[in-house]
Amino acid sequence: MSARRARLGVLVSGGGSNLQALLDATAQPDYPAEVACVLSNVPTAFALERARKAGVRAEVVDHKGFGSKADFEAAVLGVLADAGVEWVCLAGFMRLVSADFLKRFPGRVLNIHPSLLPAFPGLHAQKQALERGVKVAGCTVHYVDAGTDTGPIIAQAAVPVLPDDDEASLSARILAEEHRLYPLAVRLAVTGAVTLDGSRTKVDARVTGDAGALRSPGAPK
Ligand code: GRF
């Protein structure tokens, strides 16, 4: 594909399996985005290895080295600017981003969360789901706003909660859907097929194939 590809900055703190899904997607020549930079606040995050292996710039900005959140974010923003990042994808990034940070990438910061939002925002979403006894769980890709997991929803996928599930088994089932959903949602966002519409999003009717894929498997057509 000759069209210019959107430049993603992927922010991570841990294992980076969602980063891997994005790296795999962006390795396809017809995918409309590339990973320009991976940035971790945790120096030992395995996600950094994944980036290096893929030949992608990997940077550490350790929040512990900064006296304030503003200073930490200024350093993060400096790296992202240097790498020419246009869109920010949070992928297991365990720091909340501030309203000032979001102003630098208006409508261009995405996150993946392991629940069917607005249920179970915040930490340990899968555990919260099990404790509440829901029968269907899942994951959500959303635009990031100043709240915690409250931004406009782009795409969701559902999985069943089985009677013998524990946190690990449910998390693994959800994670498999995350890896499918995040590259799809990023593609829709960077191509303009999904746009912000107040507190909701609008899917371009011309991408009905993708709109279908935004529903969970087994959902009515
Ligand atoms: C995923 O469950 C994601 O939804 C959540 O943090 C986890 C990150 O996993 N925000 P990984 O580092 O991508 O493997």
Side-chain angles (χ1 to χ4, degrees):
M1 195 168 92
S2 56
R4 214 186 132 274
R5 306 172 92 200
R7 293 178 67 78
L8 310 178
V10 185
L11 271 48
V12 295
S13 300
S17 68
N18 279 292
L19 164 68
Q20 191 65 55
L22 292 172
L23 289 169
D24 293 346
T26 54
Q28 303 301 314
D30 61 347
Y31 193 81
E34 62 188 311
V35 180
C37 177
V38 170
L39 186 149
S40 174
N41 66 310
V42 177
T44 55
F46 182 65
L48 292 163
E49 292 303 317
R50 296 181 188 269
R52 290 183 194 116
K53 197 165 168 219
V56 166
R57 177 170 173 179
E59 299 275 356
V60 175
V61 180
D62 187 345
H63 60 282
K64 291 183 184 146
F66 296 87
S68 71
K69 186 180 179 76
D71 289 348
F72 166 66
E73 288 195 342
V76 171
L77 286 165
V79 170
L80 298 181
D82 187 61
V85 165
E86 299 162 317
W87 289 79
V88 176
C89 298
L90 308 182
F93 185 61
M94 301 305 284
R95 314 297 299 172
L96 294 176
V97 296
S98 72
D100 281 340
F101 182 101
L102 294 173
K103 272 189 208 143
R104 295 286 290 270
F105 293 94
R108 287 177 172 233
V109 182
L110 309 183
N111 182 44
I112 187 154
H113 181 76
S115 79
L116 292 174
L117 291 170
F120 315 128
L123 294 174
H124 309 298
Q126 304 94 331
K127 186 160 176 263
Q128 294 184 55
L130 284 170
E131 285 173 357
R132 186 61 182 80
V134 295
K135 304 302 178 198
V136 177
C139 54
T140 303
V141 179
H142 62 94
Y143 290 99
V144 175
D145 66 11
T148 301
D149 303 320
T150 50
I153 291 168
I154 298 173
Q156 294 186 300
V159 301
V161 179
L162 302 179
D164 292 338
D165 267 336
D166 58 16
E167 199 180 344
S169 62
L170 179 59
S171 298
R173 194 173 307 119
I174 294 171
L175 204 54
E177 285 300 307
E178 293 185 40
H179 299 159
R180 182 184 69 78
L181 200 67
Y182 211 179
L184 168 64
V186 169
R187 180 155 59 87
L188 294 178
V190 303
T191 57
V194 166
T195 47
L196 275 165
D197 182 21
S199 60
R200 305 167 36 145
T201 67
K202 248 191 330 222
V203 181
D204 188 327
R206 285 169 300 180
V207 291
T208 47
D210 284 323
L214 295 178
R215 288 191 289 264
S216 56
K221 298 279 182 283

